[in-house]
Amino acid sequence: MKFGKYLEKQAKEDWRSFYLDYKGLKDLIKESAKEAETQGPAAFSPRTTSLSIVRAAKTADAAEERFFQKLEAEVEKVGKFTQRVVAELRQRLANLQPKADKAAAAAGATDEKERLMEAAAAAGATDEKERLMEEAKLIGEDYLQLEKYANLNYMGVHKILKKHDKLLPHSPCRQFYIAHLHQQPWVQGTYSDVLVHLSNCYSQLRGDQAGQKNEDASQGFVRSTTKYWVRAEDVSNVKYHVLQHLPVFQFDKHDFSGDAQLINSVYFDNENLELYHGRLDKKPNAIALRIRWYGPGEPKKVFIERKTHRESWKGEESVKERFTLDEDKVVPFLEMEYGLEQAVADLRAAGKSEKEIENFSTLFTEVRQQIDSKQLRPFIRTQYMRTAFQIPFDSTVRISMDTNLCMIKENPDEGPSCTLAGRWYRDPSLPINRNEITRFPHAVLEVKLSLGQGQESPAWVQELLESGYLTEVHKFSKFIHGSCTLTPELVQAVPYWVDDESVRPSMLLSAPAVRPADAAAASSSAAAGNGQHVSVEVQEELTSPVAVDKPRKRTPGLEDLSHPLLGDQPTLRLLPDPSKIKGFAKSLRGDGDAPGFWMKLLGPKGPPPVRQPGTTMMRIEPKTFFANERTFLSWLHMAVTLGSIAAALLGFSNTKGQTGLSAHLVEIIALILLPVAISMCGYAIFIFKWRSDMIAKKRPQHFDDRVGPLGLCAAVVTALVAILIVSFIDFIDFLESTKPSPDPTPSPGPGPAPSPALLMPNPAGGVQRLVELAAGLTKPSLIQSS
């Protein structure tokens, strides 16, 4: 579909006049191209001018000039409308908040007299609460519509600039104008405060109760965690669905901007990447060690965290443990200069209990020994904006979403390492080269459950998992992804998701070197100054203020880069087709992709398995694919056996000139078995293909088919029963034919007695009578004598 038609179809009717005038801009581009053909390039101008030469007066602006004037006016129109709608949403939320507070106060009244007074003062409190919930829902839906409006117009500007550069190659402008577009308030501005206030309203209406804050010196967490990828365009949809059930968690309300908080984590490893390979292979007791701090600016207090992997099939749970340190004590701790005695003294001075000090001492000593014995040093940093959804200090259900995720090398390629510089994290003043940073293209959502024995996850969590917006990536790790992308020369194994087609461009942008075959061409073209242009998407990534390439080198494009871990083409597609996403409600996305007739008939039944605490999704290994092939061959072997028997019976049967059921018994049996064999072949192929797709995508569904084998078994039993019935009927006919017929003559008379062979029935259909007719022998005596 052409983008103009797509924009017309997706536009909201009430806002139609505020969308980008894509058709008008396209007409101006066509007019500019026609002028360029007749008048020559309008951009041509001599390099000198004169103040005394009178030039011909312009009667009208050129079409290309009118195009830029209109484009600027359209961008300004979109920005003003976005600001207006956001202001309206903020005002609606400001009006809703006092009403939500009042409803929460009425619900939280503890004194009986006060409760009666509140109930009398607010007649129909339940209806009022439902009305407020509906009003909050409308505000959320309008916010999502506004984001869709902004995305459509943003995409429209990209498309129209691409068309301009295609039809007017002598005056390309896309690269410059996209950089200008990024400075517009409606593009770079954040309106996540709307979601924060909306979350507060929902929390008040639900009556959420905060838990008890844990301020122990050392803390441990035991919970089941599942990680998912979320497309950037689906982030707001997922956020809005979650905040209807969980509030946006604000750990520090005095230092929290918007709905997200900056998190930096410095991961440790050694030259052999021992921790990387241990976590990748999921070895028992494999650890990940990191130092984490929250918020922008220089860290003041940090968390030393250790994650330990345990085998779930043994009934064990992976554990995350951590303790806090002041920033000025981190380097002495890593250099073994800050000992346990000093740390315990500091804790006692801070008023910590003996039990807290005991727990802290154990973890402090173990982490210190592991850093020393494994020679761990700062290796990879992960940086992202995290939005957490959680009832304060209640970890029963916790959902976090990480956006703007990037991984950075802690030790620069050109400069001293952190150890030599006497630091535990990279010097912020050092520039970051292109191959020292990688930006992950998707948001990462984590669902963390800490449920009691027999307690199930809430229904809305299951709805979120089944919406189609989330793609589960089993055991995804930011540390593992950053390590293999930025240090490919050190890794001996890579995770499976690096072959995904959506991750490939971001890894290529961090490739360690340009292809040798293209290096000479790149340098010569740069020296010649021939004006080659890199794609806007690549230029946006590589010219960011964070990532600076080496000076006096042409910025390479994707076609120039080659990552050692990637092949020529991607081999995996984890994310589903956006057009087939089910969504949260039929009104937003439709019914989704309903299963077809054959899937309903043969496909597995029942809902996807609900992941309970203490269980782990199956680990997909190559032998799983082989098991699927063996199952396919087993079904095929049975089908070929039945088909061969049926074909042999049809091939060797000879019923010419015969009538009756007995004469066609062989053909009947073959025609009963043959359709069963064909159905079994079709079922085997269908299930093999379906199961291969499920295994490749690692979808959390039942891989076993609970209906198909029973159906085939029923078909085989039905066929055998039919054969039994037909054979039984034929046997009855046989018994009927063996009864002696009454003799029409009163006495046998003289003569020889008839041969017993002639009186014996012929179950083979009268073979002996055929012999008599062929030999011309009609007298029994002759047959008997012969």
Side-chain angles (χ1 to χ4, degrees):
M1 182 186 296
K2 296 288 186 180
F3 182 77
K5 295 182 179 179
Y6 177 79
L7 180 62
E8 193 74 17
K9 181 180 179 182
Q10 296 293 326
K12 187 178 180 181
E13 191 63 35
D14 299 343
W15 300 350
R16 190 170 293 276
S17 60
F18 299 100
Y19 283 85
L20 184 76
D21 186 7
Y22 187 81
K23 184 178 183 303
L25 292 169
K26 187 168 68 172
D27 292 340
L28 285 174
I29 291 177
K30 293 180 180 178
E31 187 178 344
S32 301
K34 194 172 294 184
E35 286 184 1
E37 292 176 0
T38 57
Q39 302 176 9
F44 172 77
S45 175
R47 296 187 178 184
T48 59
T49 186
S50 174
L51 298 179
S52 61
I53 297 178
V54 180
R55 302 186 183 276
K58 293 178 61 178
T59 58
D61 293 336
E64 188 170 11
E65 186 174 350
R66 285 185 279 124
F67 165 78
F68 286 113
Q69 292 173 353
K70 184 175 179 60
L71 179 61
E72 188 66 24
E74 291 295 312
V75 170
E76 186 178 356
K77 177 182 71 175
V78 173
K80 289 182 177 179
F81 179 75
T82 303
Q83 294 289 348
R84 193 190 83 186
V85 175
V86 169
E88 292 175 356
L89 292 175
R90 287 170 175 160
Q91 184 60 43
R92 291 165 63 184
L93 282 170
N95 297 335
L96 179 63
Q97 187 67 55
K99 301 176 184 178
D101 294 340
K102 184 178 179 180
T110 56
D111 184 68
E112 185 64 26
K113 183 178 179 180
E114 182 183 354
R115 188 182 298 277
L116 292 175
M117 292 176 62
E118 292 285 349
T126 303
D127 295 339
E128 175 69 11
K129 192 173 182 179
E130 291 179 356
R131 188 187 66 80
L132 294 177
M133 291 287 283
E134 188 64 27
E135 186 176 347
K137 182 178 180 182
L138 291 176
I139 294 175
E141 290 177 353
D142 287 345
Y143 181 86
L144 296 181
Q145 288 291 342
L146 179 63
E147 183 179 76
K148 182 179 178 181
Y149 164 85
N151 282 328
L152 284 173
N153 288 286
Y154 183 76
M155 188 187 305
V157 175
H158 272 268
K159 293 282 187 181
I160 204 68
L161 291 173
K162 181 180 179 181
K163 186 174 288 294
H164 174 276
D165 289 3
K166 180 180 179 181
L167 297 181
L168 300 169
H170 59 274
S171 57
C173 66
R174 185 185 181 198
Q175 182 174 334
F176 163 77
Y177 203 88
I178 289 300
H180 169 65
L181 181 67
H182 286 171
Q183 303 305 316
Q184 299 298 314
W186 64 278
V187 175
Q188 70 170 0
T190 174
Y191 307 116
S192 59
D193 63 298
V194 175
L195 291 179
V196 175
H197 288 96
L198 185 60
S199 170
N200 291 335
C201 291
Y202 271 112
S203 180
Q204 292 288 345
L205 294 174
R206 287 192 305 265
D208 295 338
Q209 299 293 328
Q212 184 67 33
K213 183 177 180 180
N214 184 5
E215 296 184 350
D216 292 348
S218 63
Q219 303 170 14
F221 305 89
V222 178
R223 56 196 177 197
S224 62
T225 303
T226 312
K227 297 183 180 180
Y228 303 87
W229 289 355
V230 182
R231 287 188 176 93
E233 59 267 27
D234 296 329
V235 166
S236 291
N237 279 298
V238 174
K239 282 185 178 181
Y240 175 61
H241 176 76
V242 176
L243 67 82
Q244 295 180 66
H245 307 279
L246 283 179
V248 174
F249 178 66
Q250 295 175 265
F251 193 84
D252 185 359
K253 294 186 177 181
H254 302 289
D255 185 17
F256 196 83
S257 58
D259 69 337
Q261 186 180 27
L262 179 65
I263 296 180
N264 286 273
S265 300
V266 175
Y267 286 85
F268 284 67
D269 211 337
N270 52 28
E271 294 296 329
N272 298 325
L273 271 62
E274 181 181 347
L275 301 193
Y276 166 86
H277 291 106
R279 298 292 293 184
L280 180 63
D281 297 336
K282 298 302 174 188
K283 296 179 180 178
N285 298 319
I287 67 168
L289 193 63
R290 68 190 179 198
I291 299 179
R292 170 173 290 185
W293 74 96
Y294 299 86
E298 299 292 326
K300 297 179 181 179
K301 185 176 289 291
V302 301
F303 292 89
I304 313 292
E305 300 183 348
R306 183 184 66 180
K307 300 175 72 174
T308 306
H309 173 72
R310 305 278 173 77
E311 295 291 348
S312 59
W313 60 273
K314 295 181 179 179
E316 301 174 342
E317 292 283 354
S318 297
V319 179
K320 184 179 81 170
E321 305 163 291
R322 67 181 186 179
F323 60 90
T324 59
L325 276 183
D326 293 332
E327 192 277 335
D328 58 350
K329 296 182 175 63
V330 175
V331 173
F333 170 74
L334 297 177
E335 298 295 335
M336 305 298 147
E337 298 173 359
Y338 182 69
L340 180 60
E341 295 78 8
Q342 297 171 277
V344 170
D346 292 340
L347 288 179
R348 286 201 172 98
K352 298 297 181 181
S353 65
E354 290 299 323
K355 183 177 181 182
E356 294 179 34
I357 294 176
E358 181 182 354
N359 295 334
F360 170 86
S361 302
T362 302
L363 183 58
F364 182 93
T365 304
E366 291 178 357
V367 171
R368 197 165 181 265
Q369 290 174 349
Q370 288 170 335
I371 292 175
D372 185 34
S373 62
K374 298 179 182 294
Q375 291 296 294
L376 303 180
R377 294 293 179 264
F379 189 67
I380 291 289
R381 184 196 304 189
T382 62
Q383 186 181 81
Y384 46 87
M385 299 295 293
R386 167 162 291 184
T387 302
F389 300 90
Q390 177 186 1
I391 296 176
F393 315 116
D394 180 5
S395 61
T396 302
V397 179
R398 185 176 188 270
I399 294 179
S400 64
M401 179 176 288
D402 302 334
T403 55
N404 298 327
L405 171 61
C406 65
M407 299 85 167
I408 308 169
K409 267 184 170 182
E410 280 302 298
N411 300 303
D413 293 338
E414 299 175 356
S417 64
C418 292
T419 304
L420 294 178
R423 304 177 59 91
W424 61 271
Y425 65 96
R426 183 180 180 125
D427 187 353
S429 63
L430 293 178
I432 303 177
N433 296 328
R434 172 184 53 78
N435 60 336
E436 294 177 345
I437 183 173
T438 180
R439 292 181 175 85
F440 196 69
H442 309 301
V444 178
L445 182 134
E446 297 184 31
V447 179
K448 304 173 183 179
L449 302 176
S450 297
L451 305 178
Q453 187 67 27
Q455 187 179 3
E456 296 185 358
S457 59
W460 66 267
V461 175
Q462 193 63 29
E463 183 183 3
L464 173 66
L465 303 182
E466 296 174 359
S467 65
Y469 291 126
L470 312 184
T471 300
E472 181 179 1
V473 183
H474 186 58
K475 297 300 181 183
F476 174 76
S477 168
K478 306 179 187 73
F479 164 60
I480 290 177
H481 182 80
S483 298
C484 70
T485 302
L486 299 177
T487 58
E489 70 281 358
L490 299 178
V491 301
Q492 300 176 5
V494 295
Y496 65 91
W497 61 78
V498 299
D499 269 339
D500 181 68
E501 61 180 4
S502 64
V503 176
R504 182 183 180 89
S506 65
M507 294 185 64
L508 285 175
L509 291 172
S510 303
V514 180
R515 291 179 180 175
D518 299 329
S523 60
S524 62
S525 63
N530 57 1
Q532 290 186 359
H533 294 276
V534 186
S535 64
V536 174
E537 291 79 2
V538 176
Q539 190 68 16
E540 291 169 10
E541 292 288 342
L542 298 180
T543 58
S544 169
V546 180
V548 288
D549 208 346
K550 297 180 181 180
R552 298 185 300 276
K553 287 188 178 181
R554 182 181 75 89
T555 302
L558 285 179
E559 67 278 359
D560 302 325
L561 301 173
S562 175
H563 199 282
L565 304 183
L566 300 178
D568 294 334
Q569 296 295 330
T571 60
L572 192 61
R573 185 178 183 180
L574 295 176
L575 297 177
D577 188 350
S579 62
K580 296 183 179 181
I581 292 179
K582 177 183 176 183
F584 299 116
K586 295 181 180 179
S587 59
L588 296 178
R589 285 278 187 159
D591 296 333
D593 53 341
F597 171 76
W598 292 108
M599 179 57 75
K600 291 180 179 178
L601 183 64
L602 298 176
K605 305 296 181 183
V610 179
R611 188 178 179 194
Q612 302 294 341
T615 63
T616 304
M617 298 301 294
M618 69 172 60
R619 182 178 179 180
I620 305 300
E621 297 180 354
K623 63 182 181 182
T624 309
F625 292 91
F626 301 147
N628 187 31
E629 291 181 6
R630 288 195 301 270
T631 305
F632 169 69
L633 294 176
S634 298
W635 281 111
L636 211 60
H637 174 73
M638 185 180 297
V640 169
T641 300
L642 290 177
S644 300
I645 294 173
L649 290 175
L650 285 177
F652 290 103
S653 64
N654 185 11
T655 59
K656 292 183 179 180
Q658 301 183 33
T659 59
L661 180 63
S662 299
H664 299 282
L665 181 61
V666 175
E667 288 87 345
I668 292 174
I669 294 175
L671 293 176
I672 291 175
L673 292 178
L674 199 56
V676 175
I678 295 174
S679 301
M680 200 170 292
C681 285
Y683 169 80
I685 296 173
F686 174 82
I687 289 296
F688 173 75
K689 180 65 172 60
W690 171 83
R691 196 170 280 150
S692 297
D693 293 341
M694 294 299 103
I695 294 173
K697 296 177 181 178
K698 298 177 175 63
R699 292 185 177 179
Q701 291 185 346
H702 288 293
F703 287 169
D704 59 317
D705 185 0
R706 304 181 182 183
V707 175
L710 296 178
L712 291 178
C713 182
V716 173
V717 171
T718 303
L720 295 178
V721 170
I723 294 173
L724 176 64
I725 294 174
V726 171
S727 301
F728 186 74
I729 294 174
D730 180 66
F731 181 69
I732 295 297
D733 292 342
F734 167 73
L735 294 179
E736 291 291 336
S737 64
T738 58
K739 292 182 179 179
S741 58
D743 193 356
T745 57
S747 60
S755 172
L758 292 177
L759 298 178
M760 186 178 297
N762 192 348
V767 177
Q768 193 163 350
R769 184 58 57 91
L770 292 176
V771 175
E772 292 177 5
L773 293 176
L777 301 177
T778 57
K779 295 183 180 181
S781 58
L782 293 177
I783 297 175
Q784 183 178 6
S785 62
S786 63

